[in-house]
Amino acid sequence: MGLPKWIGDVVEARRREFVESPDDDGIFGPPVLRAGATEPEIAALQARFSQPLEEGYVEFLRHSDGMENYALGMPVYGTGDWRSGRAEAESGEFLRALADLLHEDAGIPEGTELIPISMSSDWTAGTFMLPPGDHRGRIFWLGHGDLCFYSGMRSLFRWAVSSDPGEIDWIL
């Protein structure tokens, strides 16, 4: 099974950045894909949450059970990151600190289950999954004063390659 283009495009963009400017302060390490998650691993991750995993995220996990440096040096968490506690440890404080902002400014109802997909190493930006039904999208990125919504992982990855505001489905 070949790597879908939307995933391969991100890998190629990060690889190209790394090769062209390996010594620049603003450049992060090369992208690192992992072996794909098994169906039982994906099912176990799904069982942790009360909402279904977004279909693009599931497709991603089947091809790579996580990834280092999809954008701005940030990972995409895989099933192993949940089993090890990494995903919760890296994102928990960020979500607690920004709970009021998410509720009051972004209109995300209190108690909404947010599934961390990614977190920057300095805890200034994160990517999260919303339950189905939010008209703005299933995935949102919050950091550096921006809150951007994406219809799903494919849309997020297209933005990660182009940084084109046209790929963002909703901005607050």
Side-chain angles (χ1 to χ4, degrees), residues 1 16 18 24 64 90 101 105 112-113 123 135 139 151 153 164 171:
M1 172 176 11
R16 191 173 49 252
F18 182 72
D24 286 355
S64 181
E90 291 182 355
L101 178 137
D105 295 345
T112 299
E113 180 180 46
W123 300 300
H135 69 282
I139 308 292
S151 59
M153 287 295 287
D164 177 359
I171 302 174

Side-chain angles (χ1 to χ4, degrees), residues 10-72:
V10 168
V11 172
E12 178 56 24
R14 297 295 85 79
R15 185 203 63 76
R16 191 173 49 252
E17 287 172 358
F18 182 72
V19 168
E20 290 173 2
S21 303
D23 297 325
D24 286 355
D25 289 338
I27 299 298
F28 302 97
V32 178
L33 293 174
R34 305 173 189 160
T38 65
E39 291 304 318
E41 289 170 330
I42 294 170
L45 181 60
Q46 174 61 72
R48 294 177 70 111
F49 307 110
S50 64
Q51 63 171 290
L53 297 173
E54 191 269 331
E55 67 182 48
Y57 182 60
V58 172
E59 180 182 3
F60 173 81
L61 292 174
R62 287 181 177 130
H63 291 279
S64 181
D65 191 6
M67 176 181 184
E68 298 304 322
N69 191 28
Y70 90 93
L72 303 173

